[in-house]
Amino acid sequence: MLASAEEIRPRLLYEGVAEAIRDSIFDHRLPPGSAIDELALSRHYGVSRTPVREAIKVLVRDGLLDLRMFSGCSVVTPGRTELVQVLDVLALVDGFVLQRLVDLPRARLRQLLDSWQALATATPPRAVWRGFCAAARASLASPVFAAASRNLEQQLRLAVGPGFAEIDRELSPASRLALGAALVAGDLSEVDRLARLHHGFFRNAVLAALPVIPGEQPAILEDIPA
């Protein structure tokens, strides 16, 4: 039996509040470490405390907020070591997804490659590698990969802030065309090699954009061939 309109409205309200708070976290209007004031948020959004409380639960589950007994709620502050691990896992997920693209119909694969070119040649280019990987996941219609990548990317967006899309530029047109050719040819070893190269370039951009935290060792950047 379908839910009634009365049952749906509260759910949509707290999801809307959660999305608004999530955007504020990614934009660093609520930067890492910020205290979350439930009453202040309910006043800001003009809603009762109930949808705000439910929204906080969603964001805690997504790993964006930290809720602790006796110390309140705050925006998560991911450490550099943790973010390196996030990048490493994301590379594994992306690599597996890209290898599965060779089984797509060639027309669909070429559409994906065209969309990648559009991202790379936009003015200014934004989310070039992550945008292509997101389109690749969508083409496989796999909610598992989509959810895993989304949760991992959220930690990177939380750490980097509003400049996240801008730092994701193209490695080079030649490397993009080479990966496209490897996908069309079904050359899995070359797909793996080039995917690692592109992800390494993205990884370096993320790590370079992270704020310096006193006492933390800087992550080692990957050597990307010219």
Side-chain angles (χ1 to χ4, degrees):
M1 181 177 179
L2 294 177
S4 66
E6 288 71 21
E7 292 173 310
I8 291 173
R9 287 193 189 98
R11 178 177 63 85
L12 292 178
L13 182 56
Y14 84 70
E15 285 183 344
V17 173
E19 193 62 29
I21 298 173
R22 183 182 285 108
D23 288 343
S24 294
I25 291 172
F26 291 155
D27 289 344
H28 280 192
R29 286 172 284 167
L30 288 172
S34 298
I36 298 299
D37 187 328
E38 185 181 296
L39 180 58
L41 288 173
S42 67
R43 289 173 175 168
H44 177 76
Y45 293 117
V47 298
S48 71
R49 297 179 71 168
T50 299
V52 172
R53 193 172 297 120
E54 293 302 313
I56 288 173
K57 291 179 183 178
V58 170
L59 297 173
V60 169
R61 184 192 65 208
D62 287 351
L64 297 176
L65 295 182
D66 185 18
L67 181 61
R68 298 186 181 184
M69 189 176 295
F70 306 123
S71 60
C73 185
S74 61
V75 179
V76 167
T77 304
R80 190 175 295 266
T81 299
E82 181 183 9
L83 291 169
V84 169
Q85 293 170 348
V86 167
L87 285 162
D88 289 344
V89 175
L90 198 56
L92 293 174
V93 174
D94 290 341
F96 183 78
V97 168
L98 292 180
Q99 294 228 353
R100 290 185 60 187
L101 292 184
V102 301
D103 297 325
L104 287 180
R106 287 295 171 264
R108 178 67 185 115
L109 180 54
R110 292 191 184 281
Q111 286 178 345
L112 274 176
L113 297 175
D114 288 344
S115 70
W116 189 14
Q117 178 176 342
L119 289 171
T121 56
T123 306
R126 290 170 54 89
V128 177
W129 178 243
R130 299 313 315 150
F132 173 61
C133 290
R137 293 192 302 269
S139 70
L140 299 180
S142 172
V144 174
F145 288 125
S149 298
R150 181 177 62 250
N151 289 336
L152 291 168
E153 284 184 8
Q154 283 190 148
Q155 291 300 310
L156 301 179
R157 293 184 64 186
L158 163 62
V160 174
F164 179 71
E166 284 75 10
I167 66 170
D168 185 5
R169 301 300 181 97
E170 179 171 52
L171 172 56
S172 70
S175 61
R176 169 170 48 82
L177 293 172
L179 179 50
L183 287 167
V184 172
D187 187 341
L188 294 181
S189 62
E190 189 68 356
V191 168
D192 180 68
R193 184 186 73 82
L194 290 166
R196 289 176 183 274
L197 199 63
H198 280 270
H199 184 84
F201 183 75
F202 168 73
R203 177 185 185 277
N204 286 354
V206 170
L207 295 177
L210 295 178
V212 176
I213 300 176
E216 277 199 334
Q217 287 290 105
I220 298 175
L221 301 184
E222 292 191 11
D223 184 21
I224 306 298

